[in-house]
Amino acid sequence: GQQLNQSPQSMFIQEGEDVSMNCTSSSIFNTWLWYKQDPGEGPVLLIALYKAGELTSNGRLTAQFGITRKDSFLNISASIPSDVGIYFCAGVTNTNAGKSTFGDGTTLTVKP
Amino acid sequence: NAGVMQNPRHLVRRRGQEARLRCSPMKGHSHVYWYRQLPEEGLKFMVYLQKENIIDESGMPKERFSAEFPKEGPSILRIQQVVRGDSAAYFCASSPRGLDGGTDTQYFGPGTRLTVL
């Protein structure tokens, strides 16, 4: 089946630093999604990407859909303590309509 | 506009009992998806339903698990004769249309945490 490799698995950074995480796959996806999950809650959609090469921002977050359609990255600029959480990438293909394949997450810790 | 609602938030069952998890999609959403999450792992797709139809159940275990999304009422994920390995967080998501290359995305509920004793 399809798999997403998400890295790094965890990050410990100082408040104010920038963060970058990425997802790669051997399969092509038509949509890339980035979610944040807080403890005890469901994932919350941060950014959705629908076209290869697309670069989209949402406040301090920026994500790109790789040209090959097999990868995506998420950047967080000037991190703050409330950025703490688990970030997941997810890919959707036309042939698996309705089915998102998730990475295993990047756990972000921000030290004040 | 209320988001996706799931209940119960926490469910404790003994081995051999049945677990019923409910999901009410966002208003106007007719597509529902169930995912399972084990600790420190990502979400794993289980089943995709539209009203009264199962579209994709490729992630569902062959036995003991079933799902439905009736014309009226919430979607139900049912686990019969639960075992300890069923302990996990179960998330429901909904979308207004299927994710077939369009611009719709899934919105997740808060999850049901199932513990099997």
PDB file of all heavy atoms in Angstrom, chain B residues 70-87:
ATOM      1  N   PRO B  70     -26.499   5.574   8.079  1.00  0.00           N
ATOM      2  CA  PRO B  70     -27.889   5.501   7.631  1.00  0.00           C
ATOM      3  C   PRO B  70     -28.379   6.831   7.085  1.00  0.00           C
ATOM      4  O   PRO B  70     -27.769   7.879   7.274  1.00  0.00           O
ATOM      5  CB  PRO B  70     -28.642   5.099   8.911  1.00  0.00           C
ATOM      6  CG  PRO B  70     -27.770   5.573  10.024  1.00  0.00           C
ATOM      7  CD  PRO B  70     -26.363   5.469   9.528  1.00  0.00           C
ATOM      8  N   LYS B  71     -29.516   6.750   6.438  1.00  0.00           N
ATOM      9  CA  LYS B  71     -30.121   7.953   5.851  1.00  0.00           C
ATOM     10  C   LYS B  71     -30.377   9.009   6.916  1.00  0.00           C
ATOM     11  O   LYS B  71     -30.185  10.210   6.687  1.00  0.00           O
ATOM     12  CB  LYS B  71     -31.433   7.565   5.162  1.00  0.00           C
ATOM     13  CG  LYS B  71     -32.058   8.649   4.330  1.00  0.00           C
ATOM     14  CD  LYS B  71     -33.302   8.133   3.615  1.00  0.00           C
ATOM     15  CE  LYS B  71     -33.936   9.251   2.819  1.00  0.00           C
ATOM     16  NZ  LYS B  71     -35.180   8.770   2.145  1.00  0.00           N
ATOM     17  N   GLU B  72     -30.806   8.573   8.061  1.00  0.00           N
ATOM     18  CA  GLU B  72     -31.030   9.484   9.178  1.00  0.00           C
ATOM     19  C   GLU B  72     -30.133   9.071  10.335  1.00  0.00           C
ATOM     20  O   GLU B  72     -30.002   7.884  10.610  1.00  0.00           O
ATOM     21  CB  GLU B  72     -32.500   9.433   9.632  1.00  0.00           C
ATOM     22  CG  GLU B  72     -33.516   9.782   8.543  1.00  0.00           C
ATOM     23  CD  GLU B  72     -33.463  11.235   8.160  1.00  0.00           C
ATOM     24  OE1 GLU B  72     -32.996  12.050   8.999  1.00  0.00           O
ATOM     25  OE2 GLU B  72     -33.879  11.576   7.035  1.00  0.00           O
ATOM     26  N   GLY B  73     -29.557  10.022  10.990  1.00  0.00           N
ATOM     27  CA  GLY B  73     -28.768   9.705  12.173  1.00  0.00           C
ATOM     28  C   GLY B  73     -27.280   9.631  11.897  1.00  0.00           C
ATOM     29  O   GLY B  73     -26.821   9.786  10.749  1.00  0.00           O
ATOM     30  N   PRO B  74     -26.517   9.394  12.950  1.00  0.00           N
ATOM     31  CA  PRO B  74     -25.051   9.425  12.820  1.00  0.00           C
ATOM     32  C   PRO B  74     -24.500   8.176  12.150  1.00  0.00           C
ATOM     33  O   PRO B  74     -25.193   7.164  11.997  1.00  0.00           O
ATOM     34  CB  PRO B  74     -24.593   9.483  14.286  1.00  0.00           C
ATOM     35  CG  PRO B  74     -25.656   8.751  15.033  1.00  0.00           C
ATOM     36  CD  PRO B  74     -26.946   9.088  14.325  1.00  0.00           C
ATOM     37  N   SER B  75     -23.240   8.257  11.785  1.00  0.00           N
ATOM     38  CA  SER B  75     -22.520   7.075  11.333  1.00  0.00           C
ATOM     39  C   SER B  75     -22.099   6.284  12.580  1.00  0.00           C
ATOM     40  O   SER B  75     -21.771   6.861  13.619  1.00  0.00           O
ATOM     41  CB  SER B  75     -21.289   7.487  10.535  1.00  0.00           C
ATOM     42  OG  SER B  75     -20.523   6.360  10.187  1.00  0.00           O
ATOM     43  N   ILE B  76     -22.119   4.975  12.458  1.00  0.00           N
ATOM     44  CA  ILE B  76     -21.767   4.099  13.576  1.00  0.00           C
ATOM     45  C   ILE B  76     -20.615   3.189  13.146  1.00  0.00           C
ATOM     46  O   ILE B  76     -20.673   2.566  12.085  1.00  0.00           O
ATOM     47  CB  ILE B  76     -22.945   3.191  13.991  1.00  0.00           C
ATOM     48  CG1 ILE B  76     -24.193   4.025  14.287  1.00  0.00           C
ATOM     49  CG2 ILE B  76     -22.550   2.322  15.173  1.00  0.00           C
ATOM     50  CD1 ILE B  76     -24.163   4.783  15.569  1.00  0.00           C
ATOM     51  N   LEU B  77     -19.583   3.135  13.986  1.00  0.00           N
ATOM     52  CA  LEU B  77     -18.538   2.133  13.841  1.00  0.00           C
ATOM     53  C   LEU B  77     -18.747   1.126  14.956  1.00  0.00           C
ATOM     54  O   LEU B  77     -18.778   1.497  16.137  1.00  0.00           O
ATOM     55  CB  LEU B  77     -17.149   2.762  13.938  1.00  0.00           C
ATOM     56  CG  LEU B  77     -15.965   1.798  13.840  1.00  0.00           C
ATOM     57  CD1 LEU B  77     -15.881   1.192  12.437  1.00  0.00           C
ATOM     58  CD2 LEU B  77     -14.647   2.487  14.181  1.00  0.00           C
ATOM     59  N   ARG B  78     -18.909  -0.114  14.583  1.00  0.00           N
ATOM     60  CA  ARG B  78     -19.257  -1.145  15.552  1.00  0.00           C
ATOM     61  C   ARG B  78     -18.139  -2.177  15.617  1.00  0.00           C
ATOM     62  O   ARG B  78     -17.689  -2.678  14.577  1.00  0.00           O
ATOM     63  CB  ARG B  78     -20.560  -1.811  15.128  1.00  0.00           C
ATOM     64  CG  ARG B  78     -21.100  -2.852  16.072  1.00  0.00           C
ATOM     65  CD  ARG B  78     -22.415  -3.369  15.502  1.00  0.00           C
ATOM     66  NE  ARG B  78     -22.939  -4.486  16.260  1.00  0.00           N
ATOM     67  CZ  ARG B  78     -23.688  -5.457  15.743  1.00  0.00           C
ATOM     68  NH1 ARG B  78     -23.995  -5.440  14.469  1.00  0.00           N
ATOM     69  NH2 ARG B  78     -24.137  -6.423  16.506  1.00  0.00           N
ATOM     70  N   ILE B  79     -17.699  -2.476  16.816  1.00  0.00           N
ATOM     71  CA  ILE B  79     -16.667  -3.493  17.017  1.00  0.00           C
ATOM     72  C   ILE B  79     -17.253  -4.551  17.932  1.00  0.00           C
ATOM     73  O   ILE B  79     -17.598  -4.280  19.096  1.00  0.00           O
ATOM     74  CB  ILE B  79     -15.388  -2.908  17.662  1.00  0.00           C
ATOM     75  CG1 ILE B  79     -14.947  -1.643  16.925  1.00  0.00           C
ATOM     76  CG2 ILE B  79     -14.274  -3.949  17.631  1.00  0.00           C
ATOM     77  CD1 ILE B  79     -13.796  -0.912  17.604  1.00  0.00           C
ATOM     78  N   GLN B  80     -17.390  -5.738  17.400  1.00  0.00           N
ATOM     79  CA  GLN B  80     -17.935  -6.831  18.195  1.00  0.00           C
ATOM     80  C   GLN B  80     -16.815  -7.614  18.870  1.00  0.00           C
ATOM     81  O   GLN B  80     -15.691  -7.696  18.353  1.00  0.00           O
ATOM     82  CB  GLN B  80     -18.740  -7.775  17.289  1.00  0.00           C
ATOM     83  CG  GLN B  80     -19.976  -7.130  16.685  1.00  0.00           C
ATOM     84  CD  GLN B  80     -20.712  -8.067  15.747  1.00  0.00           C
ATOM     85  OE1 GLN B  80     -20.220  -8.395  14.676  1.00  0.00           O
ATOM     86  NE2 GLN B  80     -21.887  -8.507  16.149  1.00  0.00           N
ATOM     87  N   GLN B  81     -17.136  -8.177  20.022  1.00  0.00           N
ATOM     88  CA  GLN B  81     -16.202  -9.050  20.752  1.00  0.00           C
ATOM     89  C   GLN B  81     -14.815  -8.411  20.819  1.00  0.00           C
ATOM     90  O   GLN B  81     -13.821  -8.975  20.331  1.00  0.00           O
ATOM     91  CB  GLN B  81     -16.129 -10.415  20.061  1.00  0.00           C
ATOM     92  CG  GLN B  81     -17.475 -11.126  20.062  1.00  0.00           C
ATOM     93  CD  GLN B  81     -17.436 -12.438  19.286  1.00  0.00           C
ATOM     94  OE1 GLN B  81     -16.928 -12.493  18.171  1.00  0.00           O
ATOM     95  NE2 GLN B  81     -17.971 -13.478  19.903  1.00  0.00           N
ATOM     96  N   VAL B  82     -14.750  -7.243  21.426  1.00  0.00           N
ATOM     97  CA  VAL B  82     -13.500  -6.486  21.442  1.00  0.00           C
ATOM     98  C   VAL B  82     -12.383  -7.266  22.116  1.00  0.00           C
ATOM     99  O   VAL B  82     -12.611  -8.075  23.029  1.00  0.00           O
ATOM    100  CB  VAL B  82     -13.680  -5.113  22.133  1.00  0.00           C
ATOM    101  CG1 VAL B  82     -14.641  -4.237  21.343  1.00  0.00           C
ATOM    102  CG2 VAL B  82     -14.117  -5.268  23.574  1.00  0.00           C
ATOM    103  N   VAL B  83     -11.171  -7.006  21.632  1.00  0.00           N
ATOM    104  CA  VAL B  83      -9.952  -7.572  22.216  1.00  0.00           C
ATOM    105  C   VAL B  83      -9.036  -6.420  22.598  1.00  0.00           C
ATOM    106  O   VAL B  83      -9.255  -5.272  22.174  1.00  0.00           O
ATOM    107  CB  VAL B  83      -9.239  -8.513  21.219  1.00  0.00           C
ATOM    108  CG1 VAL B  83     -10.165  -9.661  20.820  1.00  0.00           C
ATOM    109  CG2 VAL B  83      -8.778  -7.759  19.977  1.00  0.00           C
ATOM    110  N   ARG B  84      -8.007  -6.719  23.393  1.00  0.00           N
ATOM    111  CA  ARG B  84      -7.127  -5.652  23.893  1.00  0.00           C
ATOM    112  C   ARG B  84      -6.491  -4.871  22.753  1.00  0.00           C
ATOM    113  O   ARG B  84      -6.276  -3.678  22.848  1.00  0.00           O
ATOM    114  CB  ARG B  84      -6.057  -6.232  24.806  1.00  0.00           C
ATOM    115  CG  ARG B  84      -6.606  -6.700  26.147  1.00  0.00           C
ATOM    116  CD  ARG B  84      -5.638  -6.396  27.271  1.00  0.00           C
ATOM    117  NE  ARG B  84      -6.276  -6.726  28.560  1.00  0.00           N
ATOM    118  CZ  ARG B  84      -5.979  -7.790  29.270  1.00  0.00           C
ATOM    119  NH1 ARG B  84      -5.051  -8.634  28.844  1.00  0.00           N
ATOM    120  NH2 ARG B  84      -6.588  -8.020  30.417  1.00  0.00           N
ATOM    121  N   GLY B  85      -6.216  -5.555  21.655  1.00  0.00           N
ATOM    122  CA  GLY B  85      -5.591  -4.897  20.512  1.00  0.00           C
ATOM    123  C   GLY B  85      -6.469  -3.866  19.831  1.00  0.00           C
ATOM    124  O   GLY B  85      -5.988  -3.100  18.997  1.00  0.00           O
ATOM    125  N   ASP B  86      -7.755  -3.853  20.178  1.00  0.00           N
ATOM    126  CA  ASP B  86      -8.656  -2.838  19.603  1.00  0.00           C
ATOM    127  C   ASP B  86      -8.515  -1.497  20.317  1.00  0.00           C
ATOM    128  O   ASP B  86      -9.060  -0.486  19.851  1.00  0.00           O
ATOM    129  CB  ASP B  86     -10.115  -3.302  19.704  1.00  0.00           C
ATOM    130  CG  ASP B  86     -10.392  -4.558  18.894  1.00  0.00           C
ATOM    131  OD1 ASP B  86      -9.675  -4.779  17.886  1.00  0.00           O
ATOM    132  OD2 ASP B  86     -11.317  -5.311  19.266  1.00  0.00           O
ATOM    133  N   SER B  87      -7.818  -1.471  21.441  1.00  0.00           N
ATOM    134  CA  SER B  87      -7.633  -0.213  22.181  1.00  0.00           C
ATOM    135  C   SER B  87      -6.888   0.782  21.303  1.00  0.00           C
ATOM    136  O   SER B  87      -5.783   0.516  20.816  1.00  0.00           O
ATOM    137  CB  SER B  87      -6.833  -0.465  23.466  1.00  0.00           C
ATOM    138  OG  SER B  87      -7.548  -1.287  24.358  1.00  0.00           O
TER     139      SER B  87
END
